[in-house]
Every structure is written in structure tokens, then in C-alpha cells.
Amino acid sequence: MLLLPGAPDGQCTAVTRALSAASALCRVEPVGRWFEAFIKRRSRNVSASFQELEEKKELSEESEDEELQLEEFPMLKTLDPKDWKNQDHYAVLGLGHVRYRATQKQIKAAHKAMVLKHHPDKRKAAGEPIAEGENDYFTCITKAYEMLSDPVKRRAFNSIDPTFDNSVPSKSEAKDSFFEVFSPVFERNSRWSSKKNVPKLGDMHSSFEDVDAFYSFWYNFDSWREFSYLDEEEKEKAECRDERRWIEKQNRAARAQRKKEEMNRIRTLVDNAYSCDPRIKKFKEEEKAKKEAEKKAKMEAKRKEQEAKEKQRQAELEAARLAKEKEEEEVRQQALLAKKEKEIQKKAIKKERQKLRTSCKNWNYFSDNEAECVKMMEEVEKLCDRLELASLQCLNETLTSTSKEGGKAAVEKQIEEVNEQIRKEKEEDEARMRQASKSTEKSTGGGGGGGKNWSEDDLQLLIKAVNLFPAGTNSRWEVIANYMNLHSTSGTKRTAKDVIGKAKSLQKLDPHQKDDINKKAFDKFKKEHGVVPQSDSAAPSERFEGPCTDSTPWTTEEQKLLEQALKTYPVNTPERWEKIAAAVPGRSKKDCMKRYKELVEMVKAKKAAQEQVMNAAKARK
């Protein structure tokens, strides 16, 4: 609310018109030179007007001019006007303290002051003697202003500034004070850079990025310094175009050489600084430590990986070992169960056989005649050998539940069935033997006496020799022939050719015929070694009292297990054969001992035959 002052005493206040509402003014923008002043004030963050700034600037320049005019220059009188090119133009104009930083206004003011003070007319009016022509030192002032007022000529003179220190510190100078020695040198040479914002050398705490940027800048340093001021010849003085071109060529070559020397100087400066910089050494050590740490971490990771793989492999091996042990244990348990079942069956068969013999014996073998009793006894033993457990149990139950006549009839009926079965087996064996003889005669084809005179014993001996001397034996067929000639009872001498022909014919035989020949050879082997087979012609007392041997042939797997057990348990092992029998499922201690003796005899026979062949070969030589 707008408040108005009150009326003086004795007067009253009257309202003649209501106040109007406040209105917003339009936006006003400066133009022309006022706009320029506004922009400068805003950029410089000042509130003074452009005119005030210009006035302050002019006043400062006038004060500088006054200072320059007050200085005395006694060295001017010593200058040689003819040698103006080798003079210091800044010193001549009194700007030696600012030099290349001097502005054009300062140069102009300095020249003005010099003219006012040292012009020949001024000095002549003051009574000073003046030299004629260009021999006066005022010519040096004129040349200095001429050089510094022209930007191109001034740049050429600045490039060869006589007061500039071109020296480069050596490595030994900066051994203990690197930053104090090299920092001013880089500051001094930064004036030649074509690029602005030259990076500083920094200190010991500078980061790797700053140091890398600093040396990258100086290794790629772009200098504007040129040496045209030092040209020995001026092309304007040339008399013709060819001479001018020759002068230009000589000057370009000299400038290029000086430019090359300047860049070598800068490069030497940077190289010396880089080699002496303690930060570079620190960074290299940190990088080396970092690489060592990475290498160590990598090796540690590799070691852990190898350990993990080794643990996994050990776990897999342990799992495989446990699985194998479990499998072996299962096989062993199955073998034990099979062995127990087999023993149980053997005991049951033995019990039933004894029961049958006892029943028949109680009834006096169903006859009072002694001859008939002996014959019936043989038949009963035949039943015990041929009948299986179920048949024996059924027969014993019949004998237990019937009378003597009924038992006799049951026994006689069983005897007839067994005899009929034996008869059929004999007929089949004879038929196979005849067939084998016929095929042998056809295969030999009348090849001499050695091809036809093959008895059953010779065939069995040949099969035994072929198994005893396998393929790969040195002079195998000669060894087999000598072995047969040594052990044969027929007296027929066999040659290697006869043995090969007979072996080929036997390979073509029917598998049943081979099994028969092998079975007969096995039976003959047991007879030769004193083992009584359970045949029909054996006496009852011998069967009953003799040992119960298992005539089952040894398989390849059982043979391997026996050989491994013999290696595992040497001769000095206590209870050796019990452990060997436990390692071969389905075989008893006696079976293992018997097989071991057979193997020993076979090895001895094989060695004897080989020695005989070798002796015969030596005798022929």
C-alpha cells in the first residue's frame, strides 16, 4: 500500500484522482556500443561501463609511457648503426624487462619516448654534436622499432632472442634435485610451443596420467621457432632472379639445419628429463610389482585349478576303486554262494547216494546169490554216478515207501534207463570217431605212412602239443614234431609237414568231435597222473574212499586268476594255497595245487622240446 506524507498544520488533504494500477515495463536490451560494453562487463564480472574501462586503460598506458620516458639509456651511444642486426632491439627501446611479452602499444609508446629524447633535432637543439647521415645511433632506434612493430619480423627476432638460455641440464646435474633443475627449463622452453596450455612438469605426487600426458606433449613438441633472422644474405640485394633464387636456397638450407638442431635440443632435454625422472622409476616399479602380482595370482589360480583337477581325479579314482571293489566283492559273494550251493548239492548228492547204497545193502541188493549181488552192487554204483539229485531223491523215496519187490522193480527200471542212455552215448561216440577217421583219411589223401597211421593217442598228443607250443614259438612245427616223436608210443616218426597237414585237417572237424578228442586226452592225462576217474569200470570201494575231484576244465578267466594269485602270494606266504583258492572262485585248494603241477610239467616239457630242436639244429650245422 502506497503511503503519502500528511498535510502540514493548518491544511487539509484532498484526493482529486484515484491512483492507477502498476504496469510492467517492456523488456529493454542494449544495442550498439552499449551492447559491447554490457558483454564485456558480464564476462569480466564488473559493473563499470565500457567507457570507464577504456579510460582506465588509457590512463594506465599513459602512466607506462611516462615511466618509459623517465628511464635513461646510456648504452645507446655505444651502438654501431652499421651493426644494427646484432643489437638487442628490446633493450634499445627500453623494453628489456618485458621483452616478448611487450604489447604493440608499449612498443609504440617506448619508440615515442625514444624519439622525443634522442631525435637528432632534439639533441642538436640541446647543443650535442650530431654525426652526418646514418652514422648516428638514432638509426638503431629506428631499426628496432621497424623490427618490433612488424609482427613477422618481430617473430623472427623473438626466435633468436639473445637473452634466451638454450642450455640443457645433464643427467648428473639433476641427480638429487630433479624438479628444481628441470622445471624452470621446461617453463622457459614452453614459449616456443605452437599449442597453448602447455602441461607443467608437476611434482612427486603427480598421477601417472599427468606424467604420461606431459612427456607425450614434449615428445611431440611443435615449435614455432624459426631462424630467418639469421639469414646471411638478403634476397632484395640480389642483382638478378637467379641470384635471388640461389640466396633463397642457401637461406632455406641454413634454416632447416638450425631447425633440426633446435628439435634435437628439445629431444635431448626431454630424454634427459625422462631418464632422471624419479616418478618414471616409481611407475616402472609399480608396474613391475603389478605384473608380478598378476603373474603370482595367475600362477596361484593355475595351481588351485590343478589342485582341483587332481582332487577330482583322485575322487574319480577313489570312486572307480570303490566301484571295482564293490563289483569284486559282489563277484566274490556270488562265487561263495555258488560254491556253497555246489557244496550243499554235493553233500545232498553224497547223502542220497549213501542212502541208496544203504537201502540196497539192507535188502542185500535184492538177491541171495553172491554173483548177482556183486552185479547189482556195480549197477547201483553206476546209478550213483549217473543219476542227478532229483532222480536220486525220487528213487530213495520209492525205496523207503515200498516193499523189497517194489524197490527191486524200481531199481531195475532205473538201471535199464541208465544202460540205455550209456549205450546211445557209446554209439554216438563211435559214429563221430568213424566220421573223424574218414575225414582225416580224405584230408591226408594217402600222403605216405605218416599221413594215415594216426591213432587216437597220436591225435591226443598232437592236440596237447599244439596247445603247449602256441603260435609265435620259434620253429613251432619242428618243435611239435620232435615232441610227438619223443612222447609217442606208436613208434612212427612224424615230420613238420605231417604235423601241419594233420593240424589243418583237425581244424576242419566238427566241434563235437573236437570236444570228444579233448575229453579223451584229459581222461588220459588224469590216468597218467594217478587220478582215478569216476567211470563205470571203477570199483565201489575206490569210488567211495577215493577223493572227490572236480574234472571241470579250467577256463581262461580261471587260469588268469590263478596266475595272478601265484604272483601275489609267493612261496613264503603262510597259508598260501588257501589264499590262492580264495582268489579263484569255484576252485578248491586241491584243484589249484593240481593245476599248478600240470603247468610246471607242461613248462618243463616245452623247454625240453625246444632244447632238443636247438641241439638238432646245431648238429645239422
Side-chain angles (χ1 to χ4, degrees):
M1 182 177 180
L2 183 62
L3 297 178
L4 297 176
D9 296 338
Q11 294 182 5
C12 61
T13 302
V15 178
T16 60
R17 188 177 178 181
L19 295 175
S20 61
S23 60
L25 296 176
C26 297
R27 183 177 179 182
V28 179
E29 293 183 358
V31 296
R33 61 188 182 90
W34 293 278
F35 178 76
E36 182 182 2
F38 168 74
I39 294 298
K40 288 185 177 182
R41 287 198 305 272
R42 189 175 65 179
S43 61
R44 297 176 182 177
N45 196 17
V46 295
S47 59
S49 64
F50 177 73
Q51 186 65 27
E52 292 175 351
L53 294 174
E54 290 295 327
E55 290 177 356
K56 288 182 179 180
K57 188 174 181 182
E58 290 178 359
L59 290 174
S60 64
E61 290 179 354
E62 290 177 359
S63 62
E64 291 177 358
D65 293 343
E66 291 176 358
E67 292 178 359
L68 291 172
Q69 291 172 3
L70 295 176
E71 293 182 3
E72 293 292 337
F73 300 96
M75 52 85 64
L76 291 176
K77 296 182 180 180
T78 62
L79 295 177
D80 184 5
K82 296 180 181 180
D83 194 24
W84 63 269
K85 195 171 185 178
N86 294 326
Q87 71 183 11
D88 186 357
H89 299 305
Y90 288 108
V92 169
L93 294 180
L95 298 175
H97 60 290
V98 290
R99 303 197 69 77
Y100 67 92
R101 290 186 293 272
T103 63
Q104 286 296 326
K105 289 187 177 182
Q106 287 177 331
I107 294 173
K108 187 176 181 181
H111 178 256
K112 181 179 178 181
M114 288 296 173
V115 169
L116 293 175
K117 188 176 178 75
H118 298 282
H119 194 274
D121 294 340
K122 292 279 186 181
R123 289 186 286 126
K124 188 175 182 181
E128 182 180 346
I130 305 299
E132 297 181 358
E134 296 181 355
N135 294 327
D136 189 66
Y137 68 88
F138 186 75
T139 305
C140 297
I141 298 174
T142 304
K143 289 292 184 180
Y145 179 70
E146 180 183 348
M147 294 298 298
L148 298 182
S149 61
D150 187 349
V152 176
K153 294 181 179 180
R154 182 184 181 187
R155 184 184 183 92
F157 177 73
N158 287 337
S159 297
I160 55 95
D161 190 349
T163 62
F164 181 77
D165 186 5
N166 287 307
S167 63
V168 176
S170 62
K171 297 179 182 179
S172 59
E173 294 177 10
K175 187 174 182 181
D176 299 325
S177 55
F178 170 78
F179 297 101
E180 290 77 3
V181 172
F182 278 95
S183 183
V185 178
F186 280 105
E187 288 285 343
R188 184 168 66 241
N189 284 274
S190 64
R191 63 180 286 190
W192 310 124
S193 175
S194 300
K195 300 177 182 179
K196 302 302 178 183
N197 301 324
V198 180
K200 303 296 183 180
L201 179 62
D203 53 17
M204 197 63 190
H205 303 289
S206 299
S207 64
F208 174 80
E209 289 75 14
D210 295 339
V211 175
D212 183 66
F214 173 81
Y215 283 106
S216 298
F217 177 86
W218 281 96
Y219 272 118
N220 299 287
F221 187 74
D222 183 16
S223 175
W224 57 263
R225 195 175 188 185
E226 49 96 7
F227 302 92
S228 61
Y229 188 83
L230 299 177
D231 292 347
E232 295 183 359
E233 300 288 343
E234 296 182 5
K235 64 181 181 179
E236 288 79 7
K237 297 180 181 179
E239 297 180 356
C240 62
R241 183 175 62 180
D242 294 336
E243 185 179 358
R244 185 166 55 251
R245 289 180 177 176
W246 181 84
I247 293 174
E248 289 179 354
K249 183 178 179 180
Q250 296 297 321
N251 290 335
R252 281 197 302 269
R255 293 173 196 169
Q257 181 64 27
R258 293 188 181 99
K259 184 72 174 181
K260 184 177 180 181
E261 293 175 356
E262 170 66 10
M263 297 312 297
N264 290 336
R265 185 185 69 85
I266 296 294
R267 185 59 182 256
T268 303
L269 170 64
V270 180
D271 288 340
N272 290 350
Y274 188 86
S275 61
C276 298
D277 197 337
R279 298 171 299 179
I280 300 298
K281 184 178 180 181
K282 182 184 72 171
F283 293 148
K284 287 182 178 180
E285 291 177 354
E286 291 177 355
E287 184 68 19
K288 184 178 180 181
K290 183 179 178 182
K291 289 183 178 180
E292 290 291 336
E294 291 177 355
K295 183 178 179 181
K296 188 175 180 181
K298 189 181 292 185
M299 292 178 64
E300 184 68 18
K302 188 176 181 180
R303 184 183 64 80
K304 290 182 179 179
E305 184 180 358
Q306 290 179 353
E307 289 180 355
K309 288 182 179 180
E310 184 66 19
K311 289 181 180 179
Q312 184 178 0
R313 190 178 69 85
Q314 292 293 341
E316 291 176 355
L317 291 176
E318 184 67 17
R321 185 183 66 80
L322 294 175
K324 185 177 180 181
E325 290 180 355
K326 183 178 180 181
E327 185 179 354
E328 290 177 353
E329 184 64 23
E330 291 177 355
V331 172
R332 190 178 295 108
Q333 293 296 331
Q334 292 177 0
L336 291 175
L337 290 175
K339 187 175 181 180
K340 289 180 180 179
E341 291 178 358
K342 190 174 182 181
E343 290 178 355
I344 292 172
Q345 189 175 9
K346 284 182 179 181
K347 290 180 180 179
I349 291 175
K350 184 176 180 181
K351 183 178 179 182
E352 295 297 330
R353 288 174 180 173
Q354 186 64 28
K355 188 175 180 181
L356 177 60
R357 293 188 187 102
T358 303
S359 299
C360 294
K361 184 177 181 181
N362 291 336
W363 281 335
N364 198 18
Y365 296 98
F366 309 103
S367 178
D368 295 333
N369 190 353
E370 185 177 353
E372 293 180 356
C373 288
V374 173
K375 184 178 180 181
M376 181 58 72
M377 188 183 300
E378 294 177 356
E379 297 295 336
V380 170
E381 292 298 328
K382 188 185 294 183
L383 291 178
C384 291
D385 291 338
R386 301 286 297 185
L387 292 181
E388 296 180 354
L389 179 60
S391 301
L392 287 172
Q393 290 177 349
C394 183
L395 182 58
N396 286 329
E397 289 178 1
T398 302
L399 293 176
T400 304
S401 60
T402 187
S403 60
K404 182 177 181 180
E405 289 75 12
K408 182 179 180 181
V411 170
E412 289 177 351
K413 181 180 179 182
Q414 196 69 46
I415 289 171
E416 290 177 1
E417 293 177 358
V418 170
N419 290 332
E420 181 65 21
Q421 185 179 2
I422 293 172
R423 185 182 62 78
K424 289 180 179 180
E425 290 177 358
K426 285 184 178 181
E427 290 177 357
E428 291 175 359
D429 292 341
E430 291 175 358
R432 283 197 293 270
M433 290 299 295
R434 287 194 298 270
Q435 184 67 25
S437 299
K438 289 179 181 180
S439 62
T440 302
E441 291 175 0
K442 289 180 180 180
S443 62
T444 55
K452 293 182 179 180
N453 302 334
W454 285 89
S455 62
E456 185 177 346
D457 293 338
D458 289 344
L459 290 176
Q460 295 173 0
L461 187 61
L462 174 61
I463 293 171
K464 181 179 179 182
V466 169
N467 294 328
L468 187 61
F469 304 102
T473 305
N474 189 20
S475 302
R476 182 190 182 196
W477 296 107
E478 288 80 0
V479 173
I480 293 174
N482 290 329
Y483 180 81
M484 291 190 64
N485 294 334
L486 184 63
H487 295 85
S488 178
T489 57
S490 62
T492 305
K493 298 298 182 181
R494 310 287 181 182
T495 62
K497 186 176 180 180
D498 297 335
V499 173
I500 293 173
K502 192 63 179 177
K504 289 182 178 179
S505 64
L506 289 176
Q507 289 178 355
K508 300 177 182 178
L509 292 179
D510 185 62
H512 296 291
Q513 296 176 358
K514 292 182 181 180
D515 294 340
D516 293 339
I517 295 173
N518 289 332
K519 185 177 180 182
K520 290 180 179 179
F522 183 72
D523 293 339
K524 181 180 179 182
F525 178 79
K526 289 199 296 182
K527 288 180 181 179
E528 291 176 355
H529 290 79
V531 180
V532 181
Q534 296 180 0
S535 61
D536 298 338
S537 60
S541 61
E542 291 176 346
R543 294 195 192 97
F544 183 78
E545 296 176 359
C548 181
T549 58
D550 187 5
S551 61
T552 306
W554 282 72
T555 62
T556 306
E557 187 65 27
E558 291 176 343
Q559 182 71 24
K560 290 181 180 179
L561 292 174
L562 176 62
E563 293 175 359
Q564 184 63 33
L566 289 172
K567 294 178 182 179
T568 305
Y569 305 107
V571 180
N572 56 356
T573 304
E575 298 181 359
R576 180 193 185 198
W577 291 104
E578 287 78 359
K579 295 180 179 179
I580 293 175
V584 184
R587 294 293 179 177
S588 62
K589 173 183 175 182
K590 293 182 180 180
D591 295 337
C592 295
M593 295 176 68
K594 188 191 302 180
R595 183 61 179 171
Y596 174 71
K597 292 179 181 179
E598 294 173 4
L599 294 174
V600 170
E601 292 178 0
M602 290 171 66
V603 171
K604 289 181 179 179
K606 184 175 181 180
K607 289 183 179 179
Q610 289 179 343
E611 289 177 359
Q612 186 177 1
V613 172
M614 292 176 64
N615 293 333
K618 290 180 181 179
R620 284 196 298 269
K621 291 181 180 180

